[in-house]
Amino acid sequence: MIDGKRVLIIMPAWNEAEGVADVIKETYTTLPGVDILVVDDGSADNTAVVARAAGATVMKLPYNLGVGGAMRAGYKFAHDRGYDIAIQVDADGQHDPRNVPELLDRLETGADLVMGARFAGTGDYEARGPRRWAMLVLAFWLSRMARTKLTDVTSGFRACNRDLINAFARWYPVEYLGDTVESTIAVLRAGYRVEQVPVAMRPRVTGTPSQSPWKATLYLGRIGMILLLAFSRRSSLGPAQKGK
């Protein structure tokens, strides 16, 4: 419990046996009131065994679904067990759990979804070339939708309230970047409030990115198509209904 609310850290993990224990221990030390669910996304190593030994609850998927599929399973777990807040924290050590209270503060002041933003004046994380240009285009359009400045809409460091836990348990995109970009568009179109807090992302400690930088750049190069599809789809979340 944190401030009277049940908080679940959802940690998607793919072949992170080398470092996941340290991430879990740091998270428990920094945030002693949270529960941690590691969703082992079809790892070929001992991620599940190591995570369980470090004290986390582990959900092991039979094969790799990608971050979106792992997070959908995590939100279903949070929904079924009545958590008030769910926070995605990556298993590779890039997300600093010391920033979690800032995300929680924004939820307390009325936001439904809060993202930890790399390009908001904190830290020295950089993206260059076509990838950076595509991210700027995304940030521009989603900022207009949110009616507030969003600088890092592909960030996977994000927290949501119970309304969105329940919504994401029913629907959550599994395509690469759909778990961040398309889900955010759906949230905004449904009338939920999205905000960000500046954070400094840390270098990946262990493991391998689920997508190579080249593949990520190619995908982001198709961002116009993603935006058109996302805007043309009927929102799967329905209108925002606080407290439902």
Side-chain angles (χ1 to χ4, degrees):
M1 302 283 287
I2 295 181
D3 295 331
K5 293 187 176 180
R6 298 184 66 213
V7 179
L8 178 68
I9 301 292
I10 303 174
M11 197 175 290
W14 181 57
N15 295 333
E16 298 284 358
E18 186 178 349
V20 68
D22 289 338
V23 177
I24 292 168
K25 291 173 184 176
E26 179 188 25
T27 303
Y28 275 137
T29 300
T30 307
L31 306 164
V34 304
D35 295 330
I36 299 177
L37 171 70
V38 172
V39 183
D40 181 350
D41 190 20
S43 296
D45 63 8
N46 292 325
T47 293
V49 174
V50 172
R52 191 174 289 113
T57 299
V58 175
M59 177 188 296
K60 186 169 177 60
L61 304 182
Y63 48 86
N64 182 257
L65 295 178
V67 176
M71 287 304 299
R72 181 189 292 180
Y75 285 123
K76 183 68 164 57
F77 180 97
H79 166 75
D80 291 347
R81 288 156 181 79
Y83 281 93
D84 300 299
I85 294 170
I87 305 171
Q88 179 180 344
V89 174
D90 286 354
D92 58 15
Q94 292 189 84
H95 299 160
D96 191 336
R98 291 176 296 181
N99 293 130
V100 166
E102 298 174 69
L103 275 64
L104 295 176
D105 287 344
R106 290 298 182 93
L107 291 179
E108 284 294 324
T109 56
D112 299 291
L113 175 68
V114 184
M115 297 179 289
R118 293 166 287 187
F119 312 114
T122 299
D124 55 5
Y125 184 93
E126 292 185 6
R128 297 184 176 89
R131 185 168 181 264
R132 178 59 176 153
W133 304 335
M135 294 172 80
L136 288 171
V137 171
L138 278 172
F140 172 78
W141 285 107
L142 269 68
S143 293
R144 292 192 64 176
M145 292 183 66
R147 298 181 180 179
T148 189
K149 188 173 183 179
L150 301 176
T151 61
D152 189 12
V153 295
T154 64
S155 172
F157 189 19
R158 46 183 57 200
C160 69
N161 60 18
R162 181 180 289 185
D163 291 331
L164 283 181
I165 289 174
N166 297 340
F168 287 154
R170 299 191 307 270
W171 173 87
Y172 200 73
V174 299
E175 299 88 354
Y176 175 59
L177 287 188
D179 61 293
T180 53
V181 177
E182 187 174 351
S183 65
T184 304
I185 291 173
V187 165
L188 290 169
R189 291 182 65 195
Y192 291 97
R193 181 174 162 186
V194 177
E195 296 185 5
Q196 69 176 28
V197 296
V199 300
M201 295 287 184
R202 303 183 296 193
R204 168 183 281 273
V205 177
T206 59
T208 302
S210 59
Q211 294 284 339
S212 69
W214 174 241
K215 287 183 178 179
T217 300
L218 287 176
Y219 191 93
L220 286 163
R222 302 197 300 269
I223 207 62
M225 183 178 296
I226 295 173
L227 287 171
L228 286 174
L229 287 173
F231 283 125
S232 64
R233 289 179 182 177
R234 183 178 179 181
S235 177
S236 301
L237 298 183
Q241 297 180 11
K242 297 286 188 177
K244 299 293 184 179

